[in-house]
Amino acid sequence: MSANCKIVEENLAHGVAIITPPNGLSEKLSLAARAKRQLIIKLGFDPTAPDLHLGHAVVLRKMRQFQDAGHKLVIIIGDFTARIGDPTGRNKARPPLSEEEVKENAKTYLAQLSKVVDTNNLEIRFNAEWLGSMTFQDVLRLLSKMTLAQILQRDDFSNRYNNSIPISMHELLYPLMQGQDSIVINSDIEMGGTDQLFNCLVGRTLQEAEGRSGQTVLSMPLLIGLDGVEKMSKSKNNIIGLTEAPDQMYGKAMSIPDALLPNYLDLVTDFSLQKINEMRAALADETLHPMEAKKAIAHNIVKQYHSPELADSAALFFYNQFQKKGVEDKSYIPVKSEDVFQANASTTLVALCSKLQPGMSKNQIRRLITSHAVSVNGKKIEDPQASVSAPVDAALKVQIGKRGYFFIS
Amino acid sequence: MSANCKIVEENLAHGVAIITPPNGLSEKLSLAARAKRQLIIKLGFDPTAPDLHLGHAVVLRKMRQFQDAGHKLVIIIGDFTARIGDPTGRNKARPPLSEEEVKENAKTYLAQLSKVVDTNNLEIRFNAEWLGSMTFQDVLRLLSKMTLAQILQRDDFSNRYNNSIPISMHELLYPLMQGQDSIVINSDIEMGGTDQLFNCLVGRTLQEAEGRSGQTVLSMPLLIGLDGVEKMSKSKNNIIGLTEAPDQMYGKAMSIPDALLPNYLDLVTDFSLQKINEMRAALADETLHPMEAKKAIAHNIVKQYHSPELADSAALFFYNQFQKKGVEDKSYIPVKSEDVFQANASTTLVALCSKLQPGMSKNQIRRLITSHAVSVNGKKIEDPQASVSAPVDAALKVQIGKRGYFFIS
């Protein structure tokens, strides 16, 4: 292996949580060099959730590195299952999507993808193309390649089975569908979060059952969201979206919990490996203040998803809004008024707070309010039913408990 | 319920091992009476095994009773799975059948069926008609109606799972296919042996998931074969085939083990319920000699599958061949020469015996021969490699151990 190849491999392996099998990346890169061909790098996407955030970008930024190293990205749009929805019809949260909705979501997705990868230089495949034309006989052939014991190795299946929580028979087939995608596009590498490891390995098993070399699986770490606890996820309201406005993005990045800074340096910024290591060391020996690290990360994020100029102006906006006013020790989360006030109407304090802190129960919030732990524009309010008006000219500052600072405008 | 209906129901319930649910037969009969319609009685048939024997006839004779009571039989030919064979390709004993082979087997099957039921008055359906046109999406919908825990209630699945014996994923789908057949033909009752109970109940579950009344399952007892141990089955060589020649059939019936006579009276003869009960009682208090019961049963079987005249002549043939010659205390099993001698060539004694007694290992047979327990035409032979010629004019009598008497002609 040339020295150059070695550096490429080190960069590609950096930040990956698990490579399966351990020598798989190395083998695939050697194979590509020997055969003088591109590797096929697969990523699946669920078209029911087209809003991308920094959590998705962890995987996408790694995809970009492969693209820069000359390999071929294939994005699989999982339209087959999205168009079926929940076959039992019981789960109202999973209605079947129409062909138009899938296409619309895919377009939105591509637009967001373009913020990280070169969308002019990748292949998009819709898996209904092959799954939709499979007959019952084809399904039986596919299923015959794996055993029940192999499928029940998936943690959520085995946990549910062992705890007598029903598993509908059709659910057992989803990993096999994802695996069939790998057979059809002949992927060399499949990317995913660590929570996708099992499903990706099914693709490897199925490819090997066909007598081919099985794909290597690169599992990226899951990014913890702004709440500092849960995986970044829209439903947890703890995300920074890839298409958020520069000021919003910067402000949210300023609320990253201190403990997560090394993590965000690794997974979110595009700083050089050397710079990341220096900053992590400086944070560890406290020669770098967390607030300064946060500013650097926030600036870097806006630079990546917008531009250096917009990053500069977002930093200035933040300084003017908050730091000048002496709130530099707190990190306010900017919130859009229309996200928490319906049609600019007023609302009760408890309703407002539970929109701002969806992780808390209404009872928890009521207790915080009655124990003087909630203030609006610096003034403590003890009545959960107190009416709060939507901000008109001036922004509304709401503090909930010790750590929840919101800036609504 | 009229007295007449009550008698019909008693007759239909007689000899059934399990009725699920217990009041299911009664309910379906009342339903038919109220709605003035026929019940749809379903029986599935695997077209890979077209040789019917008295074991199958246990279920068929019950079907005939329903037919005589005015109900409609629907025979499902399971050509969908037969034409797939073993999807893994590993099981050479399950090659895929061609359309022609399936049709040929179905024809043979119908011809044999006609010995028990009125084949001019039933419906035949091939399940590839509906299973073959199901898409992957249809399969998912079907699977979504049952949980893994429900499927793993099937004994052979749970035993294998608990003993770490692999279950291929596709195997889990077979009970659901059989259930889909029940949905399509809208069966009121499904018949089967007790070993089919689970699969039949899946049909009931699926019909109920569609919001319909679920089929009642009538499980007939499994008939023990002539060896007195195993379920009657061609692979165990312990059968009386429905199309065997009258003399062969009579002779084999004369080898029914004494202990099984009450069982055969119930499940195999078409004697009246009163006569069966009288004979069972007489056997129990030893006022009826087992040999006499056997003659009555043998005659009845030949009468059912051939004619009263052929039953009379088979009885006479048996008397002339065996009883006159003083072997009335032994029951010789008639064997066709071509079944044990290849092209009338001679063979070794050990090879001949292992064809006659397929349940014994060659080593067991060698030990019997060397310990003087095997005789040919009354003469003991000690050499396992001794050559035995196929019978030309006179029949060949072979005795193996204490209970194996064979009459080869």
Side-chain angles (χ1 to χ4, degrees), chain A residues 80 84 87-88 131 134 136-137 139-140 143-144 146-148 151-152 161 167-170 172-173 177, chain B residues 80 84 87-88 131 134 136-137 139-140 143-144 146-148 151-152 161 167-170 172-173 177:
Chain A
F80 180 67
I84 293 174
T88 67
L131 297 180
M134 280 173 77
F136 203 155
Q137 177 162 354
V139 174
L140 289 172
L143 294 189
S144 75
M146 290 196 75
T147 66
L148 177 62
I151 294 291
L152 287 188
Y161 187 69
I167 305 172
S168 275
M169 284 296 294
H170 72 280
L172 300 176
L173 271 59
M177 293 186 220
Chain B
F80 180 67
I84 294 174
T88 67
L131 297 180
M134 280 174 76
F136 202 156
Q137 176 162 355
V139 174
L140 289 172
L143 294 189
S144 75
M146 290 196 76
T147 66
L148 177 62
I151 294 292
L152 286 189
Y161 186 71
I167 304 172
S168 275
M169 285 296 293
H170 72 279
L172 300 176
L173 271 58
M177 293 186 219

Side-chain angles (χ1 to χ4, degrees), chain A residues 298-366:
Chain A
H299 188 277
N300 182 271
I301 293 171
V302 180
K303 188 207 79 181
Q304 284 183 70
Y305 298 101
H306 294 282
S307 69
E309 296 72 30
L310 287 169
D312 291 344
S313 61
L316 189 62
F317 174 80
F318 187 83
Y319 175 76
N320 287 331
Q321 291 287 330
F322 305 103
Q323 290 206 288
K324 265 209 317 208
K325 293 170 188 162
V327 291
E328 62 269 58
D329 55 333
K330 297 172 185 171
S331 303
Y332 274 77
I333 300 176
V335 175
K336 285 189 190 158
S337 178
E338 59 260 40
D339 287 345
V340 287
F341 287 98
Q342 278 202 329
N344 287 327
S346 59
T347 184
T348 62
L349 183 60
V350 63
L352 175 63
C353 292
S354 75
K355 280 205 173 143
L356 294 169
Q357 290 282 40
M360 286 186 178
S361 73
K362 288 227 163 134
N363 277 335
Q364 283 179 304
I365 288 173
R366 271 191 208 96

Side-chain angles (χ1 to χ4, degrees), chain B residues 98 109 181-182 192 197 256 266 276 281 314 326 331 374 396:
Chain B
S98 70
Y109 177 69
D181 297 346
S182 294
L197 178 57
I256 298 167
D266 265 346
I276 290 171
S331 304
V374 173
L396 195 66

